[in-house]
């Protein structure tokens, strides 16, 4: 066998072996990538389910706590209404008693009688003002605590979203090897056949 023929046949055999190995490697790579993607999809689904439940719990807990403040504010407001009614009723009774006393003592129209009635009215006004101030302070305290609860709920949701985004990124990266190091260049097809044709061409065939 001429030396040129032997060299060409050997080159063709090497090309064929390399082609088959490359084809098998690509097939194995595609299979592994497919398995990785399937596993990642399952993991992503579990992640979304778990974080979705946690998000619902956070929202429910926050709503429940906010509802407690709303109930407390409503109770405080109702208590203030009842207190005002009581003070007004007591003030009216005190004024009636004072007027009756002034009549029996002959003080109606006198400075003493007028001062006595003004004193009763002043006490009623002071009590009503104290109720308004106490209610305002209580509402301010409840409002601040309510805002803190809302802020805590918002922060918990933001942290959960951040964790979910990071986990999704890591799962996606793990499922796609190309995304880590960049997309690889594709080899041109027909390399083996072109090489073999070149080897035969060297033989003059």
């Amino acid at each position: 066998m001429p030396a040129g023929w032997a060299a060409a046949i050997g080159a063709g055999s090497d090309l064929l072996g390399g082609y088959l190995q490359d084809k098998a490697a690509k097939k194995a790579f595609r299979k592994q990538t497919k398995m990785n993607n399937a596993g990642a999809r399952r993991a992503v689904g579990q992640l979304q389910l778990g974080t979705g439940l946690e998000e619902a719990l956070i929202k429910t807990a926050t709503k429940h706590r906010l509802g407690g403040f709303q109930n407390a504010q409503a109770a405080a407001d109702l208590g203030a209404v009842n207190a005002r009614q009581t003070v007004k009723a007591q003030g009216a009774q005190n004024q009636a008693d004072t007027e009756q006393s002034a009549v029996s003592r002959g003080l109606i129209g006198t400075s003493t009688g007028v001062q006595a009635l003004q004193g009763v009215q002043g006490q009623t006004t002071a009590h009503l003002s104290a109720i308004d101030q106490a209610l305002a302070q209580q509402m301010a305290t409840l409002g601040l605590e309510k805002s803190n609860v809302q802020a805590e709920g918002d922060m918990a949701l933001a942290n959960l979203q951040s964790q979910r985004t990071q986990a999704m990124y890591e799962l996606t990266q793990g499922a796609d090897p190309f995304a880590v190091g960049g997309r690889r260049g594709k080899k041109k097809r027909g390399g083996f056949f072109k090489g073999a044709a070149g080897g035969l061409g060297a033989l003059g065939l």
Side-chain angles (χ1 to χ4, degrees):
M1 177 183 300
W5 284 44
I9 292 174
S13 297
D14 292 340
L15 288 172
L16 177 59
Y19 171 77
L20 294 177
Q21 289 179 357
D22 185 59
K23 184 176 181 180
K26 289 181 179 179
K27 183 177 181 181
F29 174 77
R30 287 194 297 269
K31 181 178 180 181
Q32 184 62 46
T33 300
K34 185 176 181 180
M35 292 175 62
N36 289 345
N37 289 339
R41 282 193 294 270
R42 289 193 297 269
V44 168
Q46 293 174 355
L47 173 67
Q48 290 176 335
L49 177 61
T51 55
L53 291 175
E54 187 173 355
E55 180 179 355
L57 289 175
I58 292 173
K59 289 182 178 180
T60 299
T62 302
K63 183 178 180 180
H64 179 72
R65 294 177 66 187
L66 292 176
F69 284 108
Q70 292 173 353
N71 293 336
Q73 289 173 330
D77 190 47
L78 180 60
V81 170
N82 293 334
R84 290 192 193 97
Q85 291 176 349
T86 299
V87 168
K88 289 178 180 179
Q90 186 63 49
Q93 183 62 47
N94 291 340
Q95 185 170 355
D97 292 342
T98 299
E99 289 177 349
Q100 182 63 36
S101 177
V103 170
S104 63
R105 296 169 59 186
L107 298 176
I108 291 297
T110 66
S111 60
T112 301
V114 172
Q115 290 176 356
L117 290 175
Q118 288 177 343
V120 171
Q121 294 173 353
Q123 289 179 352
T124 301
T125 301
H127 290 157
L128 291 174
S129 178
I131 291 173
D132 292 340
Q133 291 178 1
L135 177 62
Q137 184 176 359
Q138 188 172 7
M139 287 296 189
T141 300
L142 290 173
L144 178 60
E145 294 176 353
K146 181 179 179 181
S147 297
N148 291 337
V149 167
Q150 182 65 65
E152 290 174 2
D154 293 342
M155 180 61 70
L157 290 174
N159 290 337
L160 178 62
Q161 180 60 36
S162 178
Q163 295 171 5
R164 177 165 48 196
T165 300
Q166 180 63 29
M168 289 282 288
Y169 173 79
E170 293 176 356
L171 287 173
T172 302
Q173 291 298 301
D176 185 7
F178 286 135
V180 177
R183 185 170 298 277
R184 299 173 183 174
K186 294 183 178 180
K187 293 184 178 180
K188 295 182 179 180
R189 295 183 179 181
F192 162 71
F193 297 103
K194 288 184 178 180
L200 294 176
L203 301 178
L205 297 178

